Amino acid sequence: MSVHAFDVLGDPVRRRILELLADGEQAAGAISAIVQEEFGISQPGVSQHLRVLRENGFATVRAEGTRRLYAVDPAPLREVDVWLERYRRFWTPHLDALATELARGKRARRMAGESGGASGAEPVKPGSVPERGR
């Protein structure tokens, strides 16, 4: 894999387009509308990003009548994944530890619920930060 792939993926607009395409094939007009709204760039600007993705193998395009439908081509992403393999050791243990802590918290909440919830702790709403020292 060449470092060139990171030049392509380094742009936030192109990464966003790939995120949209990861959900399935999308019409160029739909992609353009979303990207224009989110990034404030023109339709020709979005078309240039689509062209870069297509020319570098990250996206495919097919015609359906007057529409152009884009999809992810996974081959270059697999190459990036292979290149990243040697660096996974830097984050995999941390993610494994996080998974363990999440499982412990889930088990503790379940156990507190089974014992009547008399732990004295108030439930934390998703997205909120619990206050300390009260």
Side-chain angles (χ1 to χ4, degrees):
M1 182 212 64
S2 74
V3 177
H4 183 67
F6 290 106
D7 293 335
V8 174
L9 297 174
D11 186 279
V13 173
R14 289 192 285 270
R15 286 194 311 270
R16 178 62 175 132
I17 291 170
L18 283 176
E19 288 172 2
L20 294 169
L21 296 177
D23 292 334
E25 191 175 60
Q26 300 278 331
I31 295 167
S32 186
I34 293 169
V35 171
Q36 285 178 279
E37 166 106 9
E38 292 179 3
F39 290 90
I41 62 176
S42 67
Q43 185 278 324
V46 176
S47 293
Q48 285 285 43
H49 286 290
L50 286 167
R51 184 177 61 79
V52 169
L53 289 169
R54 190 179 64 247
E55 288 179 355
N56 288 281
F58 286 90
T60 61
V61 65
R62 70 179 180 88
E64 185 177 89
T66 59
R67 298 182 342 149
R68 298 293 172 258
L69 299 173
Y70 283 82
V72 170
D73 185 340
L77 294 172
R78 281 190 216 106
E79 291 177 24
V80 170
D81 187 51
V82 167
W83 187 86
L84 286 170
E85 182 60 39
R86 72 185 292 193
Y87 301 100
R88 281 199 176 81
R89 65 186 167 95
F90 295 113
W91 65 78
T92 299
H94 301 292
L95 293 175
D96 291 345
L98 176 61
T100 300
E101 290 304 314
L102 291 172
R104 284 182 184 156
K106 185 177 179 181
R107 184 172 47 249
R109 286 190 301 278
R110 187 179 69 240
M111 297 301 285
E114 289 174 3
S115 65
S119 66
E122 294 181 21
V124 177
K125 295 178 184 170
S128 67
V129 177
E131 294 184 27
R132 296 176 185 231
R134 280 186 131 184

